[in-house]
Amino acid sequence: MNDSATAPISGLAGRLVADGLIAAELAREAQQIARTDSVPLVKYLVEQRNVDSKKIAELASLEFGVPLIDIEAFNTDLLPEGLVEPGLVTKHHAIPLYRRGNRLFVAVSDPTNLEALDEIKFNTGISTDGVLVEEKALTVFITKWVESQDSIGGGLDDLDSGDFDDIDIESGEPTDAEADAGDGLDETPIVRFVNKVLVDAIKQGASDIHFEPYEKDYRVRFRTDGVLREVVKPPKNLAPRLAARLKVMSQMDISERRIPQDGRIQMKLSRNRAIDFRVNTLPTLFGEKVVLRILDPSSATMGIDALGYEEDQKQMYLDALSKPQGMILVTGPTGSGKTVSLYTGLNILNQPERNISTAEDPVEINMSGINQVHVNPKVGLNFAEALRSFLRQDPDIIMVGEIRDLETAEISIKAAQTGHLVLSTLHTNSAAETITRLLNMGVPSFNVATSVDLIIAQRLARRLCKECSTPATDIPEEALRKLGFTDEILDGATIMKPVGCSNCKDGYKGRVGVYEVVRITPEIAAMILEEGNSLEISKAAREEGFDDLRTSALKKAAQGLISLEEISRITVD
């Protein structure tokens, strides 16, 4: 007879059987396997047998008299530092949460996991007490903590344990003179640290990275979901070496520290995917600040449906793209997603039978099948000169990175009037202000009214986390109406608010576009011909039924995509 079939069932397994949560046969088998494989019984039951994690935690708390706490209320950044290694935490599936005096409180999902408490006590020299948490929540929490320890926050001393030497980065190799000027820039810890920063930024979905020297310290920050956050503070004396390493990678002049420089880095993540970094250095009071903007080519091919346009707005954009001639202008501040909107449009238009040329400063995303020109004013190749050359090469579609002056504006409009589809950007705050900017540049109102077909003004808002956002039922209707909500928007609305969980940052995860899309109708064209101001043009656009940015943001909030705080952050009432 098999001894395991008659083995006694004790402790937590016995309580689970007594309460009917698992069968006796499963309990005996689980006890045996967990003991053989040296894994906590609860971890085995939840992962391998799909037993209810919350129910186990509740029964374990009753059986052993151990307090059950919500581990999601703890921030991994605030845990006791330097007490235990990540390997010990993952080995025993237990993690120290907080310390009070000479006692360390350790989160476990299995109260019988005494081996974990004993080994943590041995390694830290501090008496340990177990606190009970739900298994699934503990797994997510430990995973997040281990990743943070393996991130750049681990510091330069921990870099030897990673595999970041093998990252495939296309960049220039330093000459002998550059290596001398770098004062040890090829020192392995520096190389590994910079590689680690780039990898972590990609993993966290950052849009740019800031390396910033100050008088007494040095910091690295990521812009994630539109907000800058400090991620690590390397020693101040490493500032020149970090700047030198980044300049070598982006093929800059490593010996020049007095003027700003621009460069580029490409990191190959796989055979089919690469990430580009646009790099700029700036001499500051205490050294060179280096900013890397992360350019992911996949963002241009994710499709128009992923950008966040309302259905009527999306259709207006697609209709404008289908026209053989005319001008589409995308406007908004830096970091508002203009590049992705333009490249998404170009990707839709990119067909073998079309000749597409772009003039950009710089070329941000490389797209196969499109002739992309990086303008270089130093040698006389500015936007206007590039446009003149395009028009001599029989283009169907032209994209101008930015209309900055009258000459570029006039050539772009001429191209739109002579059988070409032109896409470009301006830095204005709304669709109406885009019209007045062109008029103020000196473009005749007749040319603006007859050449511009569509204007898109946009912002990027932080998207609420789908896992933890909760209905905002405590907000009075009067307060919502003060924000601008109308009966039409409130009909069927689901206003949500951020909470925060292990899957997001402060209740937000990712971003979504908020748009004002205005088609130049005969009525708006007539107002342009009369050289109406931006307020008059904006009023006419509202009367035509085009939502402004504020209304679009309110609709996004009503759909439960963004919070009320985001409306105020990205738009003006």
Side-chain angles (χ1 to χ4, degrees):
M1 180 179 293
N2 191 335
D3 292 338
S4 63
T6 59
I9 305 173
S10 59
L12 177 59
R15 180 61 185 258
L16 298 179
V17 172
D19 281 70
L21 192 60
I22 60 174
E25 295 79 4
L26 174 57
R28 289 191 181 92
E29 178 188 352
Q31 278 187 320
Q32 180 65 31
I33 295 176
R35 190 179 302 113
T36 303
D37 294 347
S38 297
V39 297
L41 174 64
V42 174
K43 181 176 173 62
Y44 171 79
L45 287 172
V46 172
E47 290 185 355
Q48 304 300 324
R49 295 296 184 173
N50 200 28
V51 182
D52 190 323
S53 176
K54 291 184 178 179
K55 192 65 177 176
I56 291 180
E58 291 169 358
L59 293 177
S61 178
L62 292 173
E63 176 69 15
F64 293 94
V66 179
L68 176 61
I69 65 172
D70 180 11
I71 198 170
E72 292 183 350
F74 286 81
N75 186 338
T76 56
D77 296 335
L78 302 179
L79 298 188
E81 293 185 6
L83 289 181
V84 294
E85 296 294 328
L88 185 62
V89 170
T90 54
K91 174 185 176 183
H92 290 295
H93 201 57
I95 185 169
L97 287 184
Y98 57 95
R99 180 178 179 177
R100 287 181 182 170
N102 61 349
R103 303 202 71 80
L104 185 65
F105 293 85
V106 180
V108 293
S109 61
D110 188 342
T112 63
N113 190 9
L114 301 179
E115 182 182 351
L117 300 178
D118 290 341
E119 189 161 349
I120 290 175
K121 177 181 178 181
F122 176 80
N123 279 268
T124 62
I126 307 171
S127 297
T128 57
D129 285 324
V131 291
L132 189 61
V133 299
E134 182 194 341
E135 164 58 31
K136 285 187 177 179
L138 179 61
T139 298
V140 171
F141 190 84
I142 288 177
T143 300
K144 184 177 180 181
W145 180 80
V146 170
E147 287 177 352
S148 72
Q149 300 305 298
D150 190 40
S151 71
I152 56 178
L156 290 169
D157 294 337
D158 300 328
L159 293 178
D160 290 334
S161 61
D163 297 323
F164 296 93
D165 286 333
D166 300 327
I167 293 175
D168 188 1
I169 298 177
E170 292 187 0
S171 59
E173 294 301 325
T175 63
D176 292 340
E178 289 173 333
D180 292 341
D183 188 23
L185 61 90
D186 280 325
E187 184 181 339
T188 297
I190 296 294
V191 174
R192 297 176 70 85
F193 178 75
V194 171
N195 288 352
K196 208 162 177 42
V197 169
L198 303 190
V199 170
D200 271 29
I202 294 171
K203 286 181 178 179
Q204 295 182 30
S207 60
D208 45 69
I209 311 168
H210 295 246
F211 292 82
E212 301 170 315
Y214 296 96
E215 182 178 11
K216 295 182 179 179
D217 57 16
Y218 188 93
R219 70 178 178 183
V220 179
R221 293 192 291 172
F222 291 169
R223 187 182 297 278
T224 309
D225 296 337
V227 178
L228 276 170
R229 294 185 176 90
E230 183 179 298
V231 292
V232 67
K233 297 183 74 170
K236 174 68 172 67
N237 63 343
L238 295 181
R241 296 182 180 182
L242 290 170
R245 174 59 186 165
L246 290 165
K247 288 164 75 173
V248 167
M249 293 170 68
S250 49
Q251 304 184 58
M252 298 180 189
D253 182 356
I254 196 172
S255 62
E256 180 57 76
R257 301 181 178 90
R258 300 165 298 173
I259 59 174
Q261 296 187 66
D262 292 294
R264 197 179 190 93
I265 300 170
Q266 184 176 81
M267 176 185 291
K268 289 187 177 180
L269 302 180
S270 66
R271 181 178 299 177
N272 300 319
R273 187 184 178 202
I275 299 289
D276 289 334
F277 297 83
R278 194 176 79 190
V279 188
N280 175 265
T281 65
L282 179 69
T284 66
L285 191 60
F286 300 106
E288 288 182 286
K289 175 180 178 178
V290 186
V291 175
L292 291 79
R293 184 175 182 186
I294 302 173
L295 309 170
D296 186 354
S298 64
S299 63
T301 58
M302 62 184 180
I304 193 170
D305 291 327
L307 299 186
Y309 287 96
E310 301 295 330
E311 280 302 316
D312 59 331
Q313 295 176 334
K314 181 181 74 172
Q315 193 57 51
M316 282 190 284
Y317 190 18
L318 292 174
D319 289 345
L321 289 171
S322 67
K323 293 183 177 180
Q325 66 182 55
M327 179 178 285
I328 300 172
L329 297 174
V330 182
T331 182
T334 299
S336 61
K338 300 189 299 295
T339 298
V340 173
S341 285
L342 280 178
Y343 276 106
T344 299
L346 287 177
N347 190 56
I348 293 171
L349 296 168
N350 190 9
Q351 302 294 330
E353 64 271 14
R354 292 184 175 131
N355 178 14
I356 305 176
S357 296
T358 73
E360 305 171 61
D361 183 20
V363 174
E364 295 195 359
I365 297 175
N366 179 32
M367 295 187 72
S368 178
I370 294 179
N371 307 292
Q372 297 173 275
V373 175
H374 185 152
V375 300
N376 186 356
K378 292 180 180 179
V379 297
L381 181 58
N382 54 24
F383 283 118
E385 191 59 39
L387 281 170
R388 290 192 187 95
S389 296
F390 290 167
L391 293 174
R392 293 192 288 267
Q393 295 200 346
D394 189 29
D396 298 300
I397 297 154
I398 295 171
M399 195 268 273
V400 185
E402 183 183 350
I403 295 178
R404 298 174 179 172
D405 51 54
L406 177 59
E407 185 180 19
T408 304
E410 288 181 333
I411 299 174
S412 299
I413 286 175
K414 178 182 177 182
Q417 292 173 332
T418 56
H420 308 91
L421 180 61
V422 179
L423 292 80
S424 189
T425 72
L426 282 89
H427 281 89
T428 58
N429 292 321
S430 67
E433 290 178 37
T434 302
I435 296 295
T436 56
R437 173 67 61 83
L438 290 173
L439 295 176
N440 291 337
M441 279 184 182
V443 180
S445 58
F446 174 80
N447 284 341
V448 176
T450 58
S451 59
V452 178
D453 284 325
L454 192 76
I455 303 175
I456 301 172
Q458 65 181 79
R459 301 289 188 275
L460 286 178
R462 290 181 294 171
R463 187 190 292 267
L464 285 167
C465 175
K466 295 179 181 179
E467 301 294 330
C468 66
S469 60
T470 185
T473 56
D474 55 342
I475 302 175
E477 184 176 324
E478 181 182 351
L480 293 176
R481 293 191 181 279
K482 284 184 178 179
L483 286 172
F485 284 92
T486 61
D487 288 338
E488 182 182 359
I489 298 176
L490 285 174
D491 184 24
T494 305
I495 309 297
M496 307 291 284
K497 62 182 179 181
V499 177
C501 67
S502 58
N503 294 315
C504 67
K505 194 74 173 179
D506 302 326
Y508 298 96
K509 188 173 184 179
R511 290 194 285 180
V512 63
V514 175
Y515 304 92
E516 175 189 21
V517 181
V518 175
R519 187 177 65 250
I520 305 303
T521 63
E523 291 76 14
I524 295 176
M527 186 160 289
I528 295 172
L529 289 171
E530 296 170 1
E531 297 192 2
N533 60 41
S534 60
L535 292 176
E536 294 169 337
I537 295 173
S538 180
K539 181 180 178 182
R542 302 294 82 76
E543 291 174 351
E544 290 283 319
F546 303 125
D547 292 338
D548 60 11
L549 284 166
R550 181 80 174 187
T551 303
S552 293
L554 292 170
K555 288 184 176 180
K556 288 289 189 297
Q559 296 164 16
L561 296 176
I562 68 175
S563 66
L564 299 180
E565 291 80 7
E566 279 297 280
I567 297 175
S568 301
R569 189 179 73 87
I570 66 170
T571 66
V572 178
D573 192 357

